[in-house]
Amino acid sequence: MQQVDTLLHIANFSTLFVCMVLKFPQIFVLMRAKSTTGVSLNSLLLELIGFIVFVTYQMYYDYPPPTYLEYPILIAQDVILLLLILHYNGSLRQSLIYAVVFVGGWRLLTLEKWIIDLAMSLCTFISAASKFAQLQCLWRSKDGRQVSALSWALATYTCMARIYTTTVTTGDVQVLVRFIAMTLLNLWVLLTVLYYQRRGSSSKKKD
């Protein structure tokens, strides 16, 4: 039992620590490149929706804070990423519209129990759609230079850690299914990014 508790603490705190810096590599890559080629705005928006629904669900049902504490941090980092993408796309004015929609949607989630339950049941599909949107963007652009492989590798680790913490704490099947799906999809995006980055490097060497 003590070993399980120790592993749980390690998984919780390592996930929290990783999430504190998870999006930083992607933020730095965008700032350096000043280009959003290969980075999907739709993917980021869907990811934000998924994060907001997930953390609201966990708080609504009084889940242990260590099992979701990283999500407010991830949301803050995603907001920074969103602002950067809008800035480099020349559409920063749209940020106010997004802010109103996200805050209004968050308030709506907690009005009734059935709303948050329904939103959580759709959360896995929303988060999965965000990964597919990023994959589509990569397939279309065939350019992974502006996408941080490190951020996707860290995201894969955090989901794997959350599979363990969910199993030994709440055992919530919906949450568990979500993390398994996200682990596989994050890994898929990571491998795709690495493939296009390697192919881009090979092309440069030939030139």
Side-chain angles (χ1 to χ4, degrees):
M1 189 68 184
Q2 189 176 356
Q3 188 179 4
V4 173
D5 287 343
T6 303
L7 285 172
L8 184 61
H9 284 308
I10 291 170
N12 278 328
F13 285 108
S14 66
T15 300
L16 181 60
F17 175 75
V18 167
C19 286
M20 287 174 71
V21 296
L22 194 151
K23 300 286 182 173
F24 281 17
Q26 182 62 73
I27 290 169
F28 294 147
V29 168
L30 276 182
M31 289 174 71
R32 188 167 60 246
K34 291 182 172 55
S35 167
T36 61
T37 305
V39 181
S40 171
L41 174 61
N42 290 336
S43 173
L44 184 63
L45 292 173
L46 287 166
E47 183 177 78
L48 260 171
I49 293 169
F51 284 168
I52 290 169
V53 170
F54 188 76
V55 73
T56 306
Y57 175 86
Q58 300 263 5
M59 291 171 69
Y60 187 86
Y61 284 104
D62 292 323
Y63 278 21
T67 63
Y68 64 83
L69 206 56
E70 71 269 20
Y71 281 87
I73 299 169
L74 287 172
I75 289 168
Q77 291 177 59
D78 266 357
V79 168
I80 294 170
L81 263 178
L82 176 60
L83 291 173
L84 281 173
I85 290 172
L86 292 174
H87 171 65
Y88 293 130
N89 287 347
S91 49
L92 193 57
R93 289 180 181 178
Q94 292 179 14
S95 60
L96 186 59
I97 299 170
Y98 288 125
V100 171
V101 171
F102 280 124
V103 172
W106 174 66
R107 294 298 298 166
L108 178 66
L109 286 172
T110 53
L111 287 179
E112 297 284 347
K113 180 180 178 296
W114 69 267
I115 297 176
I116 188 63
D117 287 343
L118 176 63
M120 185 58 197
S121 68
L122 296 172
C123 189
T124 299
F125 297 104
I126 294 167
S127 297
S130 80
K131 313 304 176 188
F132 281 115
Q134 180 56 58
L135 283 165
Q136 265 191 327
C137 190
L138 284 165
W139 294 333
R140 192 166 52 246
S141 68
K142 293 179 171 55
D143 186 352
R145 287 172 298 175
Q146 276 71 253
V147 183
S148 170
L150 180 56
S151 281
W152 285 100
L154 293 174
T156 304
Y157 167 76
T158 59
C159 286
M160 289 172 67
R162 281 301 175 218
I163 291 172
Y164 174 74
T165 60
T166 303
T167 303
V168 299
T169 52
T170 63
D172 190 314
V173 177
Q174 274 198 102
V175 175
L176 198 56
V177 167
R178 179 184 184 277
F179 282 127
I180 292 170
M182 291 309 100
T183 299
L184 295 173
L185 289 170
N186 281 336
L187 187 58
W188 190 0
V189 175
L190 171 62
L191 294 174
T192 305
V193 170
L194 290 173
Y195 169 75
Y196 283 123
Q197 285 181 350
R198 188 169 297 176
R199 202 172 78 162
S201 298
S202 300
S203 299
K204 273 187 177 181
K205 285 178 183 177
K206 286 178 183 178
D207 294 340

